[in-house]
Amino acid sequence: MEPETIVCLVWLGLLLGCAAGEALTVGLTSIWCAAGALAGLICALAGGPLWLQVALFVVVAVLCLRAVRPLAKRHLNSRVVATNADRVIGARAQVSEDIQNVQGRGAVKIGGVTWSARSEDGADIPAGTAVRVLRIEGVKVFVAPVEAAPEQEPSEALTKGNL
């Protein structure tokens, strides 16, 4: 077999391998290399030198990645659903079940919805106490009694990474 034929088979194998990898992952991970391999294969079939084939592979793969990936990611990630949990931060709530961090008990009602709750400083908070939500961890809200809770806007809590 001639060296030119071997080089064409290598480009074809790379092209098919990258295309198969993309078909398996469907995450825009190797399609860029497949496009570069196609450019290298076309250059090899046209009789171009190996350095030009490799250069075309790299240039086409990088250009495709930089040009198309941001657009594709925007459209692929369009199914993100906001939970509105950030609206809870800074809200006033009513303790509906005594909050006892040591026993891992406690609940508050926020806008008619019951949340598991813990006190921010670890102190017990009796049922009926008005509290302010300071942060959320998983499915629990961390609260402090209204007189002890710092006034915090929801946007401040988000920028401080409390979600």
Side-chain angles (χ1 to χ4, degrees), residues 7 11 40 43-44 46-55:
V7 171
W11 284 118
C43 184
L50 184 60
W51 69 267
L52 182 60
Q53 295 169 31
V54 172

Side-chain angles (χ1 to χ4, degrees), residues 11-121:
W11 284 118
L12 183 61
L14 185 60
L15 172 64
L16 295 175
C18 289
E22 184 61 37
L24 291 173
T25 61
V26 193
L28 297 175
T29 55
S30 59
I31 194 71
W32 324 114
C33 291
L38 179 61
L41 177 61
I42 291 170
C43 184
L45 290 172
L50 184 60
W51 69 267
L52 182 60
Q53 295 169 31
V54 172
L56 279 173
F57 168 78
V58 171
V59 168
V60 168
V62 169
L63 285 176
C64 286
L65 175 69
R66 293 190 48 91
V68 179
R69 185 163 172 89
L71 295 171
K73 281 189 70 141
R74 193 174 315 134
H75 292 291
L76 286 176
N77 292 335
S78 63
R79 291 175 279 179
V80 175
V81 177
T83 62
N84 293 328
D86 57 327
R87 292 183 183 176
V88 171
I89 297 173
R92 288 178 61 116
Q94 187 79 25
V95 177
S96 57
E97 177 188 330
D98 292 346
I99 298 175
Q100 299 173 333
N101 287 10
V102 175
Q103 288 82 13
R105 289 188 298 192
V108 295
K109 274 209 169 189
I110 307 167
V113 178
T114 301
W115 287 72
S116 294
R118 300 295 178 267
S119 69
E120 181 68 18
D121 61 3

